[in-house]
C-alpha cells in the first residue's frame, strides 16, 4: 500500500502536505531542513547507505569552497555558525610559479574570505540537522525506479530485493547531475536539456602535515597554474591539504609509470614533491583514474506543481568558480523566499520560480562566461602581468566607487546578485573601463606631443 503521509501527532486535524526529497546529498539534506522548518511532512530518499555510519564514504571527495550564497542559505536554518566553525578561512589565492615563488592575490576587501569545508562532514551535519525535526524522516538504501508526474507516486527498490511505493504532494529532485528524477522530464515535450563534458579531468592527492603542522600556509587557496592545466590545494582541519590536479584526459593517459609521474611533477610542480612525498606520489597517482567533469543545463525546472529540480539535477557546473554547492544551496533559500511571497501556493511558486532561475543557476551566456572564464583565469591568466594589473585596478576602482565598479568575482562570491546580472554588469564595467583606458592613453599621447613641441 502506498505510504502517503507520515503519522500525524495526536490531536492534529489537518493533513500536512508531504514533500519527498529525492537525494540525501548536500542540497537534498539542506532542502529537508527548509521544508521541515515550514511544517511540511518531509521524507528524504537516498540510494546510498547512511554516510554517518559507513566505514568508507563513497562519492566525490573534492574539497568545497563555501561562500556568501551558501552561508546565507545555511544561516536561514541556523547552521551557518556551526559549519563556519568547522571550516578554514582562505583570504586569498596563493599563486605558485614554476620557480617556486609564491604570490598572494586577495579575494576581495579586507575581511572577505571563502571557507574550505569538508564535503562528507558537511553532508553528515546537514543530515543530522534534518533528522532533528519531528516531521522529517530519512530513508537510506532507497533507489528510485520510477515516478508519476501526475500522481506523485514513486517506486523505490532496496538492496534486499524489496520495493516500496510512496506518494507525495511535492517531489524535489536533488539527486545530482545524473538525476533519476530528471528522466521523467526528458520524456516530456518542450523540455530543454544539455550536458557537456569538458576535456579536463581531475585527480586528488593528499599533502600530509609536516611535524604536526600544515606543510604550507593554511589560510590560502593554493594554485599552480600551468597554462593548459593546473593544480590547487585546499586546507583541511586535520592539517592536511587536498591537492586536486586538473588536466586534459590525454595528458593523464600519457603517464603510465611511477617514473613518469616523478618526471611530470619535477617538470611542472617541483616544489610539491617534498611536500606530498615521492613514494606517495608514485602510489596515489594510480590509486584512482582521473574523474570527469560535466555541466548540465535544462529548463523548465518543474512539472506543474508536482515536481521540481534543484542543485546539480537542474544546473551542474564545473568547479573552477567554486559555485556548484553555493548555487545549489541558494536554490533552497530562493524557493523559500518565493513560498513566503505566495503563501505556499505551489502552482504560483513554480510559475514564479521559472522566471527567477537565472539567480539560481548558470544559464545562457552566464554559464559560458563565468564558468569557463573562471577556469581560464586560474589556469593561465592568473600569472599574466596584465591580469594582475587589471585585478589591482579593479580593486582600486571598487574601493573608490564601491557601488559602481564591482569585480565579477566579488559579485559572484560575496553577494547574492543573480548570476546572469553579475555577468551583464561585468561586461558593462569592462566596456566602461576600456573606454576610460583608451581616453587616458589618448590624453597622455596628446600631452606627450604637446610637451615635445613646447
Amino acid at each position: 500500500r502506498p505510504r502517503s503521509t507520515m503519522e500525524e501527532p495526536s490531536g492534529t486535524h489537518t493533513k500536512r502536505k508531504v514533500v519527498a526529497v529525492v537525494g540525501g546529498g548536500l542540497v537534498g539534506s539542506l532542502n529537508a531542513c527548509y521544508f521541515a522548518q515550514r511544517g511540511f511532512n518531509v521524507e528524504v530518499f537516498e540510494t546510498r547507505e547512511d554516510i554517518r555510519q559507513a566505514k568508507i564514504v563513497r562519492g566525490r571527495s573534492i574539497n568545497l569552497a563555501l561562500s556568501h550564497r551558501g552561508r546565507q542559505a545555511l544561516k536561514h536554518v541556523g547552521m551557518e555558525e556551526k559549519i563556519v566553525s568547522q571550516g578554514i578561512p582562505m583570504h586569498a589565492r596563493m599563486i605558485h610559479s614554476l620557480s617556486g615563488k609564491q604570490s598572494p592575490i586577495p579575494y576581495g576587501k579586507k575581511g572577505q574570505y571563502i571557507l574550505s569545508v569538508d564535503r562528507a562532514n558537511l553532508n553528515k551535519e546537514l543530515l543530522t540537522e534534518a533528522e532533528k525535526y519531528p516531521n522529517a524522516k530519512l530513508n537510506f538504501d532507497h533507489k528510485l525506479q520510477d515516478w508519476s508526474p501526475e500522481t506523485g507516486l514513486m517506486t523505490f527498490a532496496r538492496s534486499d530485493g524489496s520495493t516500496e511505493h510512496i506518494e507525495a504532494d511535492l517531489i524535489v529532485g536533488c539527486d545530482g547531475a545524473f538525476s533519476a528524477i530528471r528522466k521523467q522530464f526528458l520524456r516530456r515535450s518542450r523540455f530543454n536539456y544539455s550536458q557537456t563534458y569538458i576535456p579536463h579531468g581531475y585527480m586528488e592527492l593528499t599533502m600530509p602535515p609536516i611535524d604536526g603542522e600544515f606543510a604550507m600556509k593554511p589560510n590560502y587557496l593554493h594554485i599552480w597554474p600551468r597554462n593548459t592545466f593546473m593544480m590547487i590545494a585546499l586546507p583541511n582541519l586535520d592539517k592536511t591539504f587536498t591537492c586536486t590536479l586538473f588536466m586534459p584526459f590525454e595528458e593523464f593517459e600519457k603517464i603510465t609509470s611511477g617514473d613518469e609521474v616523478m618526471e611530470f611533477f619535477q617538470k611542472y610542480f617541483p616544489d610539491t614533491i617534498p611536500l606530498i612525498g615521492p613514494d606517495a606520489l608514485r602510489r596515489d597517482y594510480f590509486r584512482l583514474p582521473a574523474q570527469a567533469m560535466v555541466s548540465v543545463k535544462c529548463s523548465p525546472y518543474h512539472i506543474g506543481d508536482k515536481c521540481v529540480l534543484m542543485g546539480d539535477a537542474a544546473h551542474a557546473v564545473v568547479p573552477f568558480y567554486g559555485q556548484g554547492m553555493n548555487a545549489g544551496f541558494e536554490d533552497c533559500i530562493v524557493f523559500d523566499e518565493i513560498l513566503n511571497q505566495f503563501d505556499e501556493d505551489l502552482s504560483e511558486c513554480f510559475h514564479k520560480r521559472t522566471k527567477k532561475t537565472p539567480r539560481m543557476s548558470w544559464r545562457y551566456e552566464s554559464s559560458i562566461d563565468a564558468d569557463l572564464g573562471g577556469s581560464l583565469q586560474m589556469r593561465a591568466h592568473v600569472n599574466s602581468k596584465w591580469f594582475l594589473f587589471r585585478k589591482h585596478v579593479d580593486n582600486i576602482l571598487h574601493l573608490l566607487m564601491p557601488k559602481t565598479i564591482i569585480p565579477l568575482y566579488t559579485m559572484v562570491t560575496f553577494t547574492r546578485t543573480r548570476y546572469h546580472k553579475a555577468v551583464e554588469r561585468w561586461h558593462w564595467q569592462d566596456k566602461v573601463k576600456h573606454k576610460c583606458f583608451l581616453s587616458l592613453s589618448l590624453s597622455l599621447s596628446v600631452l606627450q606631443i604637446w610637451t615635445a613641441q613646447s
Side-chain angles (χ1 to χ4, degrees), residues 170-185:
L170 173 63
I171 300 169
V172 185
C174 302
D175 49 343
F178 305 102
S179 169
I181 287 288
R182 198 178 57 227
K183 288 180 181 178
Q184 278 285 4
F185 284 67

Side-chain angles (χ1 to χ4, degrees), residues 125-144:
E125 292 286 1
L126 289 173
L127 287 170
T128 299
E129 184 66 20
E131 209 167 35
K132 291 179 182 177
Y133 292 92
N135 53 319
K137 181 183 178 183
L138 305 182
N139 302 278
F140 299 98
D141 183 26
H142 278 66
K143 184 176 182 178
L144 183 71

Side-chain angles (χ1 to χ4, degrees), residues 210-226:
I210 295 178
D211 298 326
E213 294 298 327
F214 284 104
M216 302 182 295
K217 294 178 180 179
N219 295 115
Y220 296 90
L221 192 159
H222 293 263
I223 306 176
W224 290 260
R226 299 295 184 262

Side-chain angles (χ1 to χ4, degrees), residues 197-203 228-229 246-255 285 289-294:
Y197 282 94
I198 65 170
H200 288 64
Y202 73 90
M203 174 180 290
T228 60
F229 54 89
F246 297 95
M247 193 162 65
F249 278 100
E250 59 189 30
E251 297 296 329
F252 277 115
E253 291 162 3
K254 288 178 183 177
I255 302 172
Y285 187 92
Q291 303 297 300
M293 291 177 284
V294 65

Side-chain angles (χ1 to χ4, degrees), residues 314-332:
H315 46 74
V317 293
V318 294
F320 302 114
Y321 229 78
Q323 285 299 297
M325 171 189 67
N326 291 290
F329 279 4
E330 193 175 38
D331 283 2
C332 304

Side-chain angles (χ1 to χ4, degrees), residues 5 47 107 109 122 133 154 158 175 206 228 263 300 307 316 320 331 342 347 363 373 384 388 398 429:
T5 63
T47 302
Y107 279 119
K109 295 183 292 187
L122 176 56
Y133 292 92
M154 297 172 289
R158 307 198 62 182
D175 49 343
T206 301
T228 60
E263 288 174 14
C307 181
F320 302 114
D331 283 2
F342 292 94
S347 60
R363 297 181 64 205
S384 147
L388 296 175
H398 181 48
Q429 289 176 176

Side-chain angles (χ1 to χ4, degrees), residues 48-49 51-52 54-61 120 124:
R48 299 171 299 175
E49 62 181 318
I51 62 171
R52 296 168 298 175
K55 293 181 180 179
I56 299 175
V57 179
R58 302 185 185 281
R60 295 175 297 172
S61 59
K124 291 174 184 177

Side-chain angles (χ1 to χ4, degrees), residues 354-366:
T354 301
K355 295 180 179 179
K356 271 205 163 190
T357 47
R359 178 175 196 163
M360 296 177 283
S361 68
W362 300 68
R363 297 181 64 205
Y364 313 122
E365 293 78 18
S366 303

